[in-house]
Amino acid sequence: MKATLNIHAGLRQKSTILKSVFATTPYKLANITEDKQGQVLELMIMSNSPGILDGDQHAVQVELEAGTNIRLHTQSYQRLFNMQKSASLSFSVNMAANSSFFYLPHPTVPHKASSFSITNNIRLAENCTLVFGEIITCGRKLNGEVFSFTKYTCQTQIFLHEKLVIKENLRLEPAAVNIYAVGQLEGFTHQATLIYLRERSNIPALILQISELLLHEKGIVFGISEAPVSGLVCRFLGLKAEQLHDCLKRIGEFLFQIQGVKTDIYA
C-alpha cells in the first residue's frame, strides 16, 4: 500500500493554524490543541491500520511557514509486521524562518522477519528550533521475538541553510551482525536518539542540565554530544521502551520550557 500524509501549517496573527492537510488511507490527522488561541499547534497522526505491512510505502511531509510552531504526536507504538520483502517510510520536514518543530514518536516494534527502512530529511532556515527523536526496540519480548527481525535501517539528514549539518545512519541486521557484541548494543535491547537544534543556545550548559535530569534513571546508559552547529545529540541504550520514551519526553519538555513554550500534553 502506498500512503501519504501532507501537513501544511501557517500563521494567523500569532497562532499557528493548519492551512491544509492531505491524507490517504490509513492515515488521519487529529487537531488536539487545547488552547485554540495559543501559539502552538498540537497534532496527532492516527492510523486505522494495525501497523506497517509487507510492501507498504509511506510518505509524510510537513511544511512549516515562518513563525509557526508544531508539536506532532503519534497515537501508539509503531508495529512492523512479518514480511516477505520489505516496507519503507519517507519523512520530510521543511521549516521556514523562526519556526519550531517537536516530534518524539512512540517506539517502533519490529515483529519477526520484518524488514523496514526510514529516510528522514529535515531542512531548517534561520532561527528554527527542532526536537526530533526515535526509539527502536528488539521486538516482542514476551513472544520470544528478540531481534528476530530481518533488517531495520534509519537514515536521518538535517540541513541548516541547505547545508548538511547532521547525518545519522542506523542499521540493525541481527543475522549479519552480533547485536550484543562490543560496539553494538552490548546487552541492551532498546536504543533511542534525540536531536535538538536551536541557534544561539548555551549547549554546554544544556548538556549538564539534561545529564542532571537523567541522573537517577536506572537501567539505562546515555551519552550527549554537542552538534557541529548550535545543538546536541542524545543517545540512549536501555531495556524498556516506555522508560526511554519517558526520558525523551522529559527532555523535550525541558527544552521547550527554555524557549518559553510549555507542552502541557507531556506534563
Side-chain angles (χ1 to χ4, degrees):
M1 174 190 296
K2 291 187 176 181
T4 300
L5 175 63
N6 294 336
I7 302 168
H8 187 176
L11 202 63
R12 178 182 295 164
Q13 295 178 350
K14 293 185 178 181
S15 297
T16 301
I17 62 168
L18 186 61
K19 290 189 70 173
S20 66
V21 60
F22 174 78
T24 63
T25 303
Y27 283 122
K28 293 183 179 180
L29 187 70
N31 187 339
I32 58 173
T33 308
E34 292 187 5
D35 183 4
K36 302 300 183 181
Q37 304 301 317
Q39 299 178 8
V40 183
L41 179 63
E42 303 269 3
L43 301 173
M44 179 175 287
I45 298 176
M46 305 179 72
S47 173
N48 57 24
S49 171
I52 302 293
L53 306 175
D54 192 18
D56 280 357
Q57 298 177 32
H58 290 210
V60 178
Q61 183 170 345
V62 184
E63 296 281 345
L64 293 91
E65 294 185 3
T68 55
N69 193 329
I70 285 185
R71 308 293 178 269
L72 187 61
H73 309 283
T74 51
Q75 185 180 15
S76 60
Y77 282 46
Q78 178 70 276
R79 297 192 174 275
L80 311 177
F81 287 100
N82 181 285
M83 299 176 188
Q84 295 296 319
K85 295 181 179 179
S86 63
S88 64
L89 167 65
S90 171
F91 190 94
S92 63
V93 183
N94 293 311
M95 304 174 64
N98 302 303
S99 62
S100 175
F101 184 66
F102 178 107
Y103 184 56
L104 299 176
H106 282 79
T108 298
V109 182
H111 291 205
K112 184 178 181 179
S114 62
S115 179
F116 188 59
S117 63
I118 303 176
T119 303
N120 299 312
N121 284 293
I122 306 174
R123 286 176 162 78
L124 291 75
E126 64 273 9
N127 299 321
C128 290
T129 300
L130 172 70
V131 171
F132 184 84
E134 67 161 348
I135 301 172
I136 174 66
T137 74
C138 62
R140 298 185 296 177
K141 276 187 177 181
L142 297 181
N143 286 47
E145 295 181 6
V146 178
F147 295 119
S148 297
F149 57 89
T150 303
K151 184 170 64 175
Y152 177 90
T153 64
C154 180
Q155 184 181 92
T156 299
Q157 296 186 123
I158 301 179
F159 299 83
L160 178 61
H161 308 306
E162 297 302 323
K163 179 182 177 181
L164 180 65
V165 294
I166 292 179
K167 182 171 182 176
E168 288 229 313
N169 196 359
L170 172 65
R171 182 184 181 94
L172 296 175
E173 199 168 354
V177 177
N178 181 5
I179 296 293
Y180 297 106
V182 175
Q184 298 297 316
L185 299 190
E186 299 185 19
F188 292 97
T189 53
H190 296 58
Q191 179 174 300
T193 302
L194 184 146
I195 299 172
Y196 173 71
L197 294 182
R198 189 186 185 200
E199 293 182 39
R200 296 184 293 277
S201 293
N202 187 345
I203 299 303
L206 287 178
I207 290 176
L208 289 175
Q209 291 171 301
I210 292 172
S211 297
E212 290 176 0
L213 280 176
L214 302 170
L215 187 61
H216 302 293
E217 200 70 39
K218 304 295 184 181
I220 68 168
V221 295
F222 67 91
I224 309 174
S225 301
E226 189 168 351
V229 292
S230 182
L232 54 84
V233 179
C234 306
R235 182 85 72 192
F236 300 80
L237 293 176
L239 299 166
K240 297 178 180 179
E242 194 65 30
Q243 181 185 23
L244 292 183
H245 196 213
D246 287 342
C247 287
L248 295 198
K249 291 188 294 184
R250 199 185 321 156
I251 296 170
E253 171 68 14
F254 164 72
L255 292 171
F256 272 93
Q257 282 181 342
I258 289 174
Q259 72 175 61
V261 179
K262 183 176 177 60
T263 53
D264 293 325
I265 193 169
Y266 284 154

